[in-house]
Amino acid sequence: MSKKTTATADKKAAPAPSVSDFAQAPINAGLSREAKIELHRKMVRIRRFEERSLRSYQAKKIGGFLHLYIGQEAVAVGCCSLMGPNDHVITAYRDHGHAIAVGMDTKPLMAELYGKATGCSKGKGGSMHYFDPTRNFWGGHGIVGGQIPLGTGLAYGIKYKGLKGAAMAFMGDGAVNQGAVHEAYNLASLWNLPVVFVIENNGYSMGTSQARSSAGELAQRAAGYDMEWGQCNGHDVYEVRATMDKFLTLAREKNRPSTVEIDTYRYRGHSVADPDNTYRSKQEIEEYRKTKDPIQVFQQKLLTEGVLTEALIEQIDAEARAEADNTADFAEASPFPTPDDIQKDVYWESDNPAERKSQGRLFFD
Amino acid sequence: MPLITYREAVRHALAEELERDKNVVVMGEEVAQFNGAYKVTEGLLAKFGPDRIVDTPISEAGFIGMGIGASMLGVRPVMELMFWSFYSVAFDQILNNAANVRYMSGGQINCPIVIRGPANGGTNVGATHSHTPENVLANHPGVKVVVPATAYDAKGLLKSAIRDNDPVFFLENTMLYGEKGEVPTEEYVIPLGKADVKREGSDLTIVTYGRCVHHSLAAAAILEKEHDISVEIVDLRTIRPLDIDTVLASVAKTHRVLIVEEQKPFASVGSQLAYMIQREAFDELDGPIHRLATVDAPAIYSPPVEIEQLPNPQRVLKAALEAVG
Ligand SMILES: Cc1ncc(C[n+]2csc(CCOP(=O)(O)OP(=O)(O)O)c2C)c(N)n1
Ligand SMILES: [Mg+2]
């Protein structure tokens, strides 16, 4: 889904698929009413969480960067809804959506933003560094492209242990130009590793459009590594699931890696520090909001299918807003880590002194 | 005790740990079919097969990052860097990902990886291939750094490194691979973070590690014989964790200190040592702490001059005489 036009709108981005096609893909046709509602609910919960975190940021409760996922919800929710017990996820710094999609509780997520001890990383990681290995979620990584070799290693680990699973390694459209990504592509293909590289193409890496940063089609680069690749519209959660299911199956069944480029869009600036007035037009954002908003698109489908009702939509939204407010209350009421916590969680050995085998000083002053 | 080379000692440690734990895999450029660029891994492919001994493409960021990811899932990769000098192309993986992932996850994720390979000058391969990054590595909390000087230490320390649940960076030395030392046939491990007094003495403490241990031992013999100076040599063996107590005990005995290191002087391992010694044993010192390091320039190619750029027995001798002077 090349977004090759520069700053101003790319009106012919994704060809609109016929609604019924992807809904009837086997992976979607088999979904229960509850499962469909859950997909919708997750997207709404992400959106409300992100909006709430923005308010907290504006109220100066949150430090550093805050990269919001608003507009991209169908990607993380669609992909992560396909996870089995041996499937794993790793992503970049725009990680709140994935964390919620894999099932993390939102309270510790907000608390992490507030830098509180009750945060999912005990206030040590911040917005860009969420982790939950118990849910096969391996972060949350701040260096563009740096997580992609790690995701390849997760796939290596799955295969080495003889498990049937796949790793999904997410990155942005800007990350495809990092050398580490290409090294990982080569290794994954050469060694038949069960990994799906997912490019969330939101058209921009910070303030630089795809046209100004990348030569050629992004997903197609995988062909140079003899890897399967695909593209899909990421505004429709059904399409995301139908496409990813194919590539995840290829990974799980045949240990073959692939690259999938998912066309998406972020409504907010790159981070909250981005005034968003240099590289794209307000009309472009409005156009996406009006015609391709993943929550609206799916909601409409579920209304047509008779799965959702206006009343249920209201209820889900009200619950998501209340949940988001509760997370902020929880974060607010939680304690900060203490200075004593600074040197905890550095070494496994210093955290497990009874089992320590090494000697000598681990810390210096 | 049998005499074996430092190279064989490393190999035996790898073989024993591969035997002991199915999660251990050895990976790197030319480690399998080619039997290792420096023949450290010779014979391991034949013994353990291609699933355990894995040849990688020339792709340090890719395969080291991959090893880090696999270690998060409980694989215990022992990655060979053909030269530690090539760590620069994998810097982000080594020092952002391996070093930080435990911390940033609030202690939820371990990274039990070992990265090993030679890190030394003295082989006339020029500045790009002669880096000694132990100071750079040890500057990162979360990692452990080991620099063994003898066959015995190399084997015992590598076994501990492989069993360690934190990332351990193991810096060998091509100039030492052929050096023989006594290594027992029965199994042993040496804990990380334990220095070893390689020579007892009373007039001067030389704190050193790696190949400089041998230079210091050679200089100490001359100092004893020709100058009646008794030198104690403390081999750190591990840079982080650091056994400063053994250093301080020696300082309390000799009251004079010379640090000898194959490091560029600025912000070196010796800089940290000098700070700690003056801070913690100021009253024990009868004179300023001296240091002998690599002459501060990129590694020169010219073979006879490279010998002079690095610490060597003659330079140690001269520095020791100044230190007791
Ligand atoms: C190696 C590196 N270079 C630069 C940055 C600063 N930076 C952070 S995000 C970003 C843009 C990345 O865009 P993309 O990959 O498209 O992801 P998106 O933000 O759109 O999700 C930049 C330049 C960084 N974090 N890491
Ligand atoms: Mg982008």
Side-chain angles (χ1 to χ4, degrees):
Chain A
M1 305 284 155
S2 176
K3 297 191 178 185
K4 283 200 174 161
T5 50
T6 41
T8 43
D10 172 11
K11 293 278 163 32
K12 52 180 175 26
S18 75
V19 173
S20 53
D21 285 351
F22 295 108
Q24 273 146 34
I27 192 76
N28 293 325
L31 283 172
S32 66
R33 179 174 176 274
E34 287 69 34
K36 289 179 180 182
I37 294 172
E38 182 57 19
L39 291 171
H40 171 74
R41 188 194 309 276
K42 276 234 166 104
M43 293 199 287
V44 174
R45 286 176 57 224
I46 293 171
R47 174 119 358 142
R48 297 307 175 216
F49 178 87
E50 294 292 63
E51 289 167 349
R52 188 64 189 80
S53 71
L54 176 59
R55 290 213 302 284
S56 291
Y57 194 93
Q58 288 160 342
K60 302 212 180 322
K61 298 288 182 187
I62 298 172
F65 296 135
L66 185 68
H67 306 90
L68 299 173
Y69 200 63
I70 296 173
Q72 302 187 200
E73 294 91 342
V75 181
V77 169
C79 293
C80 297
S81 67
L82 299 166
M83 284 171 75
N86 295 318
D87 294 333
H88 296 261
V89 169
I90 193 164
T91 188
Y93 45 84
R94 198 179 298 285
D95 58 353
H96 307 173
H98 307 76
I100 295 172
V102 300
M104 286 177 77
D105 180 4
T106 47
K107 286 202 192 78
L109 297 183
M110 187 65 82
E112 187 63 28
L113 301 182
Y114 278 58
K116 297 299 181 82
T118 53
C120 58
S121 297
K122 303 185 191 163
K124 291 179 165 175
S127 163
M128 302 191 285
H129 308 116
Y130 283 180
F131 293 87
D132 188 353
T134 66
R135 289 186 171 76
N136 295 357
F137 178 57
W138 301 91
H141 293 267
I143 301 297
V144 169
Q147 76 281 10
I148 300 303
L150 299 186
T152 309
L154 293 171
Y156 185 92
I158 293 165
K159 190 176 172 187
Y160 189 79
K161 289 172 176 256
L163 301 170
K164 202 169 188 179
M168 287 186 270
F170 292 86
M171 70 190 108
D173 47 290
V176 300
N177 296 318
Q178 280 284 5
V181 171
H182 289 261
E183 295 192 25
Y185 278 6
N186 182 54
L187 289 170
S189 184
L190 188 70
W191 290 349
N192 296 308
L193 300 179
V195 54
V196 183
F197 300 107
V198 184
I199 302 167
E200 295 194 54
N201 186 351
N202 59 17
Y204 300 92
S205 48
M206 245 173 114
T208 306
S209 65
Q210 181 188 335
R212 293 201 300 125
S213 57
S214 294
E217 291 281 337
L218 306 188
Q220 202 175 1
R221 293 181 184 187
Y225 298 95
D226 198 21
M227 232 195 294
E228 296 283 323
W229 58 279
Q231 295 171 313
C232 80
N233 161 14
H235 310 292
D236 171 14
V237 73
Y238 277 150
E239 181 169 348
V240 171
R241 281 172 48 86
T243 308
M244 285 297 291
D245 177 53
K246 211 168 71 195
F247 291 101
L248 284 168
T249 304
L250 183 69
R252 295 187 197 113
E253 302 291 333
K254 301 228 161 73
N255 277 322
R256 280 304 295 166
S258 59
T259 298
V260 181
E261 178 185 350
I262 303 184
D263 188 42
T264 184
Y265 198 76
R266 66 166 157 77
Y267 302 156
R268 299 286 173 171
H270 166 69
S271 74
V272 296
D274 167 17
D276 201 356
N277 57 15
T278 58
Y279 57 92
R280 60 179 182 177
S281 66
K282 293 278 170 277
Q283 300 94 284
E284 178 181 298
I285 304 172
E286 267 321 296
E287 182 73 19
Y288 271 96
R289 270 189 195 282
K290 275 207 283 261
T291 63
K292 293 184 180 137
D293 182 75
I295 294 176
Q296 291 301 324
V297 166
F298 195 55
Q299 186 171 298
Q300 211 44 56
K301 288 185 186 188
L302 294 190
L303 279 169
T304 313
E305 288 183 35
V307 168
L308 279 180
T309 61
E310 292 294 349
L312 194 48
I313 290 168
E314 276 302 310
Q315 187 196 327
I316 287 169
D317 194 51
E319 284 168 2
R321 285 172 192 274
E323 176 190 350
D325 284 340
N326 283 339
T327 67
D329 294 343
F330 171 80
E332 185 67 46
S334 292
F336 285 106
T338 67
D340 282 346
D341 292 321
I342 294 173
Q343 288 185 314
K344 292 179 187 155
D345 304 311
V346 178
Y347 291 96
W348 179 87
E349 271 203 327
S350 51
D351 296 333
N352 296 277
E355 292 166 80
R356 182 171 175 190
K357 295 213 174 66
S358 78
Q359 305 176 14
R361 273 191 219 175
L362 279 167
F363 295 97
F364 300 84
D365 47 32
Chain B
M1 266 193 273
L3 274 178
I4 64 169
T5 62
Y6 183 106
R7 170 188 289 112
E8 288 165 325
V10 173
R11 183 188 306 146
H12 292 179
L14 291 171
E16 287 177 19
E17 294 306 298
L18 280 156
E19 197 76 66
R20 188 187 58 80
D21 183 353
K22 283 269 168 291
N23 284 317
V24 176
V25 292
V26 169
M27 247 185 226
E29 293 157 20
E30 312 292 359
V31 298
Q33 277 196 34
F34 192 76
N35 277 321
Y38 286 98
K39 303 292 174 244
V40 170
T41 53
E42 188 162 29
L44 295 182
L45 174 65
K47 182 142 191 239
F48 296 99
D51 287 344
R52 312 283 307 281
I53 314 296
V54 185
D55 277 327
T56 66
I58 308 159
S59 193
E60 286 82 1
F63 75 75
I64 287 183
M66 200 201 69
I68 295 165
S71 81
M72 303 189 315
L73 273 189
V75 180
R76 300 185 88 91
V78 183
M79 318 298 282
E80 177 170 305
L81 275 173
M82 191 181 285
F83 289 77
W84 257 104
S85 283
F86 307 152
Y87 85 124
S88 52
V89 302
F91 198 98
D92 178 49
Q93 297 302 323
I94 297 173
L95 294 168
N96 257 324
N97 288 343
N100 291 340
V101 72
R102 179 175 174 82
Y103 195 70
M104 294 198 306
S105 67
Q108 296 181 87
I109 298 174
N110 294 331
C111 181
I113 194 170
V114 174
I115 304 175
R116 53 155 288 275
N120 57 280
T123 54
N124 324 133
V125 288
T128 54
H129 284 55
S130 303
H131 290 283
T132 51
E134 57 270 19
N135 56 331
V136 178
L137 299 171
N139 188 250
H140 294 75
V143 315
K144 295 172 180 173
V145 182
V146 183
V147 191
T150 66
Y152 178 84
D153 291 346
K155 183 176 177 192
L157 289 165
L158 183 54
K159 285 170 68 80
S160 287
I162 294 170
R163 297 175 192 191
D164 203 283
N165 287 331
D166 294 309
V168 184
F169 306 147
F170 196 85
L171 281 61
E172 300 161 13
N173 192 310
T174 55
M175 302 292 280
L176 298 178
Y177 277 145
E179 292 293 313
K180 287 192 170 161
E182 290 194 333
V183 175
T185 32
E186 57 275 18
E187 180 169 45
Y188 67 98
V189 294
I190 300 172
L192 306 187
K194 191 163 183 289
D196 183 42
V197 177
K198 286 281 192 294
R199 185 186 208 276
E200 303 235 15
S202 52
D203 299 328
L204 172 70
T205 295
I206 294 182
V207 187
T208 185
Y209 60 91
R211 185 174 170 227
C212 290
V213 170
H214 301 279
H215 299 325
S216 302
L217 284 166
I222 300 169
L223 286 160
E224 175 106 272
K225 214 162 110 197
E226 296 177 11
H227 302 272
D228 198 26
I229 294 168
S230 163
V231 178
E232 178 144 307
I233 296 177
V234 178
D235 174 5
L236 295 174
R237 300 198 292 195
T238 302
I239 306 303
R240 187 168 186 151
L242 181 69
D243 181 3
I244 193 68
D245 292 344
T246 298
V247 174
L248 297 176
S250 181
V251 174
K253 195 169 145 192
T254 66
H255 310 292
R256 291 190 185 269
V257 183
L258 168 65
I259 296 162
V260 180
E261 56 181 351
E262 190 180 323
Q263 283 264 277
K264 305 291 163 43
F266 194 98
S268 69
V269 170
S271 310
Q272 174 66 19
L273 280 170
Y275 166 75
M276 292 174 80
I277 295 167
Q278 66 79 31
R279 186 75 185 80
E280 300 184 37
F282 190 71
D283 292 338
E284 296 288 354
L285 291 170
D286 285 348
I289 298 164
H290 287 239
R291 175 177 63 172
L292 176 67
T294 302
V295 175
D296 199 15
I300 193 168
Y301 159 67
S302 178
V305 187
E306 190 187 13
I307 293 170
E308 293 312 313
Q309 183 173 15
L310 299 177
N312 59 43
Q314 282 309 313
R315 291 187 67 210
V316 177
L317 181 67
K318 187 159 167 276
L321 289 171
E322 280 166 21
V324 292

